[in-house]
């Protein structure tokens, strides 16, 4: 069963009972873990329950091919369904899953957690095509999706957030769902009994965890400030922010410039094109953003976006000098 993006959220909340094996994969590890947890809790209340939940991995399954069928066929000592989680899955277990899917348990559920799997992955193809399985991708969310997460989470916790504050926060924590959750929870703790959140609260609370440095990085890179851009990049590395998050923040920034520039070429004015962006540009950054829209040409923006996408792919390969390649790209773009 191959899920489209419109089917994903409803499926996570109420999984299709015909799917007895659910593959959750993608580059956003935080989002993958969160969705696996939500789906798992539809089977067992406690994912660490020693009687009703068990965790396997590729290595243990290859060492003992009977582990999966034995665990999936076992009855719960306490009654009810059991959950079998397979972590760090790869194409090496495709044959075992294919065999298991011939006669899967109608009660117990198998959740398979994997990283990024390409279209040619045998594991992904199996779960997309088999009627008793489902493949659920977890791609990095854009600012709109993260903005919805920010507003929904804060609302559920009893807080209100100003639109500019929500926009600024979403723009700076896009890249990994786990990191986004951590920043939102930190903001809730910071606010305490004060229930209305403004831009000053967000910048004071979340700027120290990389948000402010990410903002400095993207605006310095787009604004022809190589020294400031490299300084911001090194701060992010020292804070432990993943290089992929850095690259996607840069991609997102230049995509927004590209979108605005494209709308202007279709006849819109600069102010009108900027106002149409969602989430909106933080008002303090509007002058710098408009200046960059006027500075960059569409061909140059296309080249930058192409370079950043290729660099992201390179950074996912084992042994790649990620930090060196990223700093070279940042220097090259900001010094253009």
């Amino acid at each position: 069963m191959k899920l489209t993006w419109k089917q994903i959220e409803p499926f996570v909340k109420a999984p299709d009972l015909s799917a007895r094996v659910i593959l959750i994969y993608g580059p956003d590890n935080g989002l993958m873990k969160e969705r696996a947890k939500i789906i798992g809790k539809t089977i067992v209340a406690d994912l660490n329950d020693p009687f009703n939940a068990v965790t396997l991995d590729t290595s243990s399954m290859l060492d003992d091919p009977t582990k999966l069928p034995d665990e999936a066929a076992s009855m719960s000592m306490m009654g009810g369904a059991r959950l079998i989680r397979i972590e760090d899955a790869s194409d090496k277990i495709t044959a075992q899953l294919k065999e298991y899917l011939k006669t899967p348990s109608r009660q117990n559920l198998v959740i398979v957690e994997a990283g990024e799997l390409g279209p040619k992955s045998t594991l992904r193809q199996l779960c997309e095509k088999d009627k008793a399985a489902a493949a659920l991708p977890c791609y990095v969310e854009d600012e709109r999706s993260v903005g919805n997460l920010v507003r929904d989470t804060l609302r559920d916790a009893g807080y209100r957030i100003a639109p500019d504050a929500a926009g600024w926060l979403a723009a700076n924590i896009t890249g990994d769902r786990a990191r986004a959750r951590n920043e939102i929870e930190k903001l809730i703790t910071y606010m305490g009994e004060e229930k209305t959140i403004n831009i000053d609260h967000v910048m004071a609370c979340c700027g120290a965890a990389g948000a402010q440095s990410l903002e400095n990085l993207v605006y310095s890179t787009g604004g022809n400030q190589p020294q400031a851009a490299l300084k911001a990049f090194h701060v992010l590395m020292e804070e432990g922010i993943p290089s992929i998050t850095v690259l996607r923040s840069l991609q997102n920034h230049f995509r927004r410039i590209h979108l605005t520039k494209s709308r202007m070429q279709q006849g819109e004015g600069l102010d009108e094109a900027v106002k149409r962006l969602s989430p909106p540009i933080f008002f303090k950054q509007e002058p710098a953003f408009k200046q960059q829209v006027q500075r960059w040409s569409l061909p140059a923006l296309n080249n930058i976006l192409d370079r950043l996408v290729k660099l992201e792919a390179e950074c996912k390969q084992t042994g790649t000098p990620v930090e060196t390649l990223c700093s070279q790209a940042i220097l090259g773009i900001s010094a253009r």
Side-chain angles (χ1 to χ4, degrees):
M1 184 189 309
K2 184 176 181 179
L3 298 176
T4 65
W5 68 271
K6 288 184 178 180
Q7 296 172 314
I8 290 174
E9 288 304 324
F11 183 94
V12 171
K13 295 175 182 177
D16 189 327
L17 296 179
S18 65
R20 307 318 304 154
V21 171
I22 300 176
L23 169 65
I24 308 176
Y25 71 95
D28 190 334
N29 186 68
L31 182 58
M32 184 268 288
K33 291 292 185 183
E34 180 175 304
R35 285 175 170 168
K37 181 178 180 180
I38 293 171
I39 293 174
K41 286 195 170 184
T42 65
I43 302 298
V44 294
D46 181 3
L47 299 182
N48 297 312
D49 185 336
F51 299 106
N52 291 332
V54 63
T55 301
L56 308 177
D57 58 30
T58 296
S59 178
S60 64
M61 291 175 62
L62 293 177
D63 289 341
D64 183 359
T66 65
K67 268 187 175 293
L68 175 59
D70 286 351
E71 292 290 352
S74 297
M75 301 293 289
S76 170
M77 293 178 61
M78 311 302 291
R82 297 180 75 242
L83 174 68
I84 297 88
R85 296 174 63 185
I86 303 174
E87 297 182 335
D88 300 320
S90 70
D91 287 348
K92 293 179 180 179
I93 65 169
T94 302
Q96 289 190 39
L97 275 177
K98 184 175 183 179
E99 184 64 26
Y100 171 72
L101 282 167
K102 292 179 181 178
T103 54
S105 169
R106 303 315 302 170
Q107 183 177 28
N108 299 334
L109 178 67
V110 177
I111 294 180
V112 183
E113 301 175 14
E116 191 162 8
L117 300 175
K120 294 182 180 180
S121 163
T122 55
L123 180 60
R124 175 177 164 181
Q125 289 179 353
L126 172 67
C127 293
E128 286 179 345
K129 295 176 181 178
D130 198 292
K131 293 181 180 179
L136 196 160
C138 296
Y139 296 114
V140 174
E141 299 172 300
D142 58 18
E143 284 185 41
R144 183 187 295 273
S145 299
V146 176
N148 291 335
L149 173 68
V150 168
R151 286 183 287 271
D152 292 346
T153 304
L154 291 173
R155 183 187 63 244
D156 293 344
Y159 293 86
R160 297 185 301 276
I161 185 168
D164 60 341
W168 186 91
L169 183 57
N172 286 286
I173 62 177
T174 298
D176 184 274
R177 174 61 77 96
R179 176 172 172 261
R181 284 282 189 195
N182 288 338
E183 290 302 301
I184 296 169
E185 290 171 6
K186 186 171 73 174
L187 180 60
I188 290 172
T189 302
Y190 174 83
M191 293 303 298
E193 296 301 317
E194 190 173 351
K195 298 297 183 181
T196 301
I197 304 170
N198 60 37
I199 186 65
D200 293 328
H201 294 137
V202 173
M203 294 183 73
C205 175
C206 300
Q212 187 67 60
S213 296
L214 276 169
E215 185 178 83
N216 291 338
L217 171 67
V218 299
Y219 277 95
S220 297
T221 304
N224 192 28
Q225 301 174 53
Q227 286 187 324
L230 286 176
K231 180 180 179 181
F233 174 68
H234 291 312
V235 169
L236 289 163
M237 293 299 97
E238 290 172 1
E239 292 176 349
I241 304 301
S243 298
I244 296 299
T245 298
V246 171
L247 290 174
R248 286 174 179 162
S249 296
L250 285 166
Q251 290 174 39
N252 183 65
H253 180 69
F254 281 100
R255 282 195 190 103
R256 284 157 72 83
I257 295 175
H258 188 285
L259 176 59
T260 305
K261 192 82 173 183
S262 299
R263 286 172 173 168
M264 289 176 64
Q265 292 217 343
Q266 293 172 5
E268 291 187 18
L270 175 58
D271 291 341
E272 181 185 359
V274 170
K275 286 180 180 178
R276 287 185 60 194
L277 291 173
S278 180
I281 299 296
F282 175 44
F283 75 94
K284 290 184 179 180
Q285 294 293 358
E286 263 197 35
F289 184 82
K290 290 178 179 178
Q291 189 177 49
Q292 291 181 23
V293 171
Q294 293 175 318
R295 175 174 182 260
W296 292 101
S297 67
L298 284 178
L301 291 167
N302 287 330
N303 288 336
I304 289 170
L305 289 170
D306 184 58
R307 180 176 183 178
L308 291 172
V309 169
K310 289 180 179 177
L311 179 56
E312 180 181 338
E314 289 180 31
C315 288
K316 293 173 182 176
Q317 298 175 8
T318 304
T320 300
V322 176
E323 189 169 337
T324 300
L325 291 178
C326 288
S327 60
Q328 289 175 347
I330 290 167
L331 178 61
I333 294 169
S334 60
R336 289 180 67 160

